[in-house]
């Protein structure tokens, strides 16, 4: 209850000042109350200086990846060009740290050094990181063997997990035999169904997962920094391919027979809703669409649905992570809120060789709403126009 009041009622700056005061008293250390002291960005350019290559058993590996070709051009109404959705070449730089567990530990989904500094990718702002104002516990378990990092600031976010976190396994495979990694640290949040299913597909058993704060004999941590382009930081094609290939057989079994047209509603989501969804659904029925949601569906079921679709219309949201599994040549129409644009699903559609269209929603007053949570109002005439463009193209193919 105290933690809830602390986070909900106090401004962020006040929270940080209060944390600093608490941690400065001797009783705080006695009762194990700690805060993150600082943020240390690590990259392929500063890894040696950051971990002290000549100190102890610390080692590092580097991997720079760039897509061989740019993403395809998106298709949109003439009056709706969006600067943030443009062809790009994704670039990612990853540092893989090998560390002595006496000097480093995992807690709250992050890697820390013994001075309570958080080590993360480049380009972040410390005061904007959730860890900046968290109360941390000194309690952590000591694990025998090697523990690898498999987390991020939001591991329970479907897109983050499938496109950024789970593919860290492919990075580890480049430098290690997975048999020498005894455990994977995810973080303390409950393991969700899609995490459980995807880990098993990737060959990771549940008894290899560690959730509590821990240190170990040896820590391995892959930390990736993505190049920001048009305001977002797209994933590399190989990350897409890794997660997609976990379900290769399901996708292949539906190749050549994918005929369903799906409108994917946000369902029970509390934000980014389509406020005139009934009108949207009514129009799309004329084009042969059926209404579906991802609520309550297993990862396997979501893979099956998207791999069976020849066309998908959906508002920007986590369900579009399933563009990982669509067939080449599928048609995708993303409905984008006015005032917030992220190119992540455009990039997935391009990697999948889908035909990607977008339609921006209309401007509506939403005072006090964070831009990541903005609802959509869809102009039905404009939606009809872009459907005519999309399905004429399907006929021509």
């Amino acid at each position: 209850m105290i933690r809830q009041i602390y986070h909900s009622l106090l401004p962020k700056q006040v929270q940080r000042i209060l944390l600093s005061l608490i941690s400065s008293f001797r009783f705080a250390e006695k009762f194990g109350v700690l805060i993150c002291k600082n943020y240390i960005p690590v990259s392929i350019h500063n890894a040696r200086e950051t971990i002290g290559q000549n100190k102890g058993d610390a080692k590092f590996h580097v991997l720079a990846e760039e897509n061989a070709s740019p993403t395809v051009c998106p298709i949109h109404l003439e009056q709706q060009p969006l600067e943030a959705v443009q062809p790009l070449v994704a670039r990612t730089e990853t540092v893989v740290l090998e560390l002595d567990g006496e000097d480093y530990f995992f807690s709250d989904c992050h890697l820390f050094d013994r001075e309570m500094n958080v080590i993360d990718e480049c380009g972040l702002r410390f005061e904007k990181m959730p860890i900046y104002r968290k109360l941390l516990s000194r309690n952590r378990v000591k694990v025998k063997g090697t523990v690898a990092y498999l987390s991020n600031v939001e591991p329970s976010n479907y897109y983050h997990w499938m496109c950024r976190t789970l593919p860290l396994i492919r990075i580890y495979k480049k430098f290690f035999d997975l048999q020498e990694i005894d455990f994977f640290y995810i973080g303390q949040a409950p393991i969700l169904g899609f995490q459980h299913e995807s880990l098993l597909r990737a060959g990771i058993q549940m008894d290899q997962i560690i959730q509590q704060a821990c240190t170990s004999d040896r820590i391995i941590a892959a930390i990736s920094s993505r190049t920001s382009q048009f305001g977002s930081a797209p994933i590399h094609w190989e990350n897409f391919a890794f997660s997609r290939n976990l379900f290769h057989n399901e996708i292949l079994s539906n190749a050549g027979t994918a005929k369903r047209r799906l409108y994917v509603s946000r369902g029970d989501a509390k934000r980014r809703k389509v406020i005139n969804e009934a009108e949207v659904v009514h129009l799309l029925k004329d084009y042969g669409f059926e209404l579906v949601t991802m609520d309550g569906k297993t990862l396997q079921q979501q893979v099956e649905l998207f791999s069976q679709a020849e066309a998908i219309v959906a508002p920007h949201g986590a369900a579009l992570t399933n563009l990982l599994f669509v067939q080449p040549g599928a048609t995708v129409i993303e409905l984008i809120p006015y005032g917030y644009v992220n190119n992540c699903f455009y990039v997935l559609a391009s990697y999948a060789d889908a035909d990607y269209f977008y339609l921006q929603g209309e401007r509506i007053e939403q005072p006090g709403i964070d831009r990541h949570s903005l609802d959509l109002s869809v102009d039905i005439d404009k939606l009809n126009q872009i459907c005519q463009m999309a399905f004429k193209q399907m006929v021509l193919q």
Side-chain angles (χ1 to χ4, degrees):
M1 179 63 72
I2 293 176
R3 184 181 291 267
Q4 292 175 344
I5 294 173
Y6 165 79
H7 282 297
S8 62
L9 298 184
L10 297 179
K12 293 180 180 179
Q13 292 180 333
V14 176
Q15 291 178 22
R16 183 64 185 182
I17 293 171
L18 182 59
L19 284 179
S20 298
L21 289 173
I22 290 174
S23 65
S24 67
F25 292 108
R26 291 182 178 179
F27 77 82
E29 185 172 338
K30 179 180 178 181
F31 289 99
V33 177
L34 303 170
I35 66 168
C36 178
K37 296 292 179 59
N38 205 349
Y39 151 56
I40 300 177
V42 64
S43 73
I44 65 175
H45 308 290
N46 71 358
R48 184 180 299 276
E49 294 78 12
T50 299
I51 68 169
Q53 176 73 351
N54 298 318
K55 178 183 176 183
D57 296 324
K59 302 176 184 178
F60 69 92
H61 311 271
V62 298
L63 178 66
E65 299 178 299
E66 179 174 296
N67 284 351
S69 58
T71 53
V72 299
C73 290
I75 307 170
H76 56 84
L77 299 180
E78 184 177 354
Q79 66 270 36
Q80 283 198 338
L82 294 176
E83 184 180 2
V85 187
Q86 296 291 330
L88 56 87
V89 174
R91 302 178 184 89
T92 303
E93 296 178 345
T94 302
V95 179
V96 182
L97 304 174
E98 289 189 70
L99 306 168
D100 185 340
E102 293 298 319
D103 295 320
Y104 299 87
F105 65 93
F106 294 123
S107 181
D108 291 79
C109 301
H110 289 81
L111 171 66
F112 291 85
D113 66 14
R114 66 193 311 170
E115 282 77 38
M116 296 300 300
N117 299 309
V118 65
I119 301 171
D120 212 325
E121 65 180 286
C122 287
L124 305 178
R125 291 175 58 187
F126 186 36
E127 66 275 12
K128 295 293 184 181
M129 298 168 66
I131 201 71
Y132 176 82
R133 54 192 180 91
K134 271 191 176 182
L135 291 169
L136 307 177
S137 172
R138 183 180 292 278
N139 298 325
R140 46 185 178 264
V141 298
K142 174 64 183 292
V143 179
K144 290 185 179 296
T146 297
V147 180
Y149 181 63
L150 195 62
S151 192
N152 65 54
V153 68
E154 288 186 284
S156 59
N157 177 288
Y158 186 39
Y159 174 82
H160 284 202
W161 176 261
M162 296 297 295
C163 297
R164 295 188 57 191
T165 307
L166 189 68
L168 292 179
I169 295 171
R170 80 169 180 90
I171 303 293
Y172 294 131
K173 285 182 176 180
K174 287 181 177 291
F175 299 102
F176 310 101
D177 182 340
L178 285 189
Q179 297 300 314
E180 66 180 286
I181 300 177
D182 301 293
F183 302 99
F184 294 84
Y185 170 79
I186 290 182
Q188 67 273 29
I191 295 179
L192 302 175
F194 64 82
Q195 293 171 312
H196 182 256
E197 289 182 69
S198 57
L199 284 168
L200 292 179
R201 289 280 180 143
I204 309 301
Q205 303 302 312
M206 288 301 102
D207 59 5
Q208 292 181 270
I209 299 304
I210 292 181
Q211 295 189 264
Q212 64 266 51
C214 69
T215 186
S216 65
D217 299 319
R218 178 180 178 228
I219 279 176
I220 297 175
I223 299 176
S224 295
S225 298
R226 297 166 296 152
T227 300
S228 179
Q229 299 180 73
F230 307 111
S232 301
I235 67 164
H236 188 265
W237 181 86
E238 284 200 29
N239 279 3
F240 164 88
F242 176 83
S243 292
R244 179 181 175 91
N245 287 338
L246 295 178
F247 295 89
H248 172 77
N249 290 339
E250 287 83 354
I251 298 170
L252 187 62
S253 68
N254 289 313
T257 62
K259 299 298 182 184
R260 298 177 71 173
R261 296 186 176 186
L262 307 177
Y263 171 70
V264 187
S265 171
R266 294 275 290 160
D268 294 334
K270 303 301 181 185
R271 61 176 187 166
R272 214 179 295 125
K273 305 280 283 187
V274 178
I275 61 176
N276 61 331
E277 188 165 68
E279 296 176 76
V280 170
V281 172
H282 181 75
L283 172 70
L284 291 177
K285 282 185 177 179
D286 292 340
Y287 286 93
F289 279 79
E290 57 183 297
L291 171 66
V292 298
T293 74
M294 298 301 104
D295 295 339
K297 288 184 172 57
T298 65
L299 177 53
Q300 172 80 25
Q301 290 170 330
Q302 294 182 61
V303 172
E304 290 286 351
L305 265 177
F306 273 69
S307 65
Q308 293 169 0
E310 68 168 357
I312 293 164
V313 177
H316 180 87
L320 282 175
T321 304
N322 292 309
L323 293 178
L324 285 163
F325 313 118
V326 297
Q327 303 290 346
T331 296
V332 176
I333 303 176
E334 180 180 2
L335 307 178
I336 298 176
Y338 187 96
Y340 175 67
V341 184
N342 188 305
N343 61 23
C344 58
F345 301 125
Y346 153 63
V347 170
L348 292 187
S350 181
Y351 290 169
D353 292 327
D355 295 316
Y356 174 86
F357 298 73
Y358 68 76
L359 178 67
Q360 187 177 41
E362 300 301 294
R363 184 169 188 168
I364 53 177
E365 294 299 322
Q366 301 182 68
I369 302 298
D370 181 271
R371 66 190 187 93
H372 295 84
S373 303
L374 292 171
D375 290 335
L376 292 86
S377 176
V378 177
D379 184 302
I380 300 302
D381 288 337
K382 291 178 181 177
L383 178 59
N384 190 43
Q385 290 177 48
I386 208 158
C387 283
Q388 290 177 353
M389 292 169 57
F391 300 121
K392 179 181 179 181
Q393 179 168 314
M394 290 178 70
V395 171
L396 290 177
Q397 292 176 346

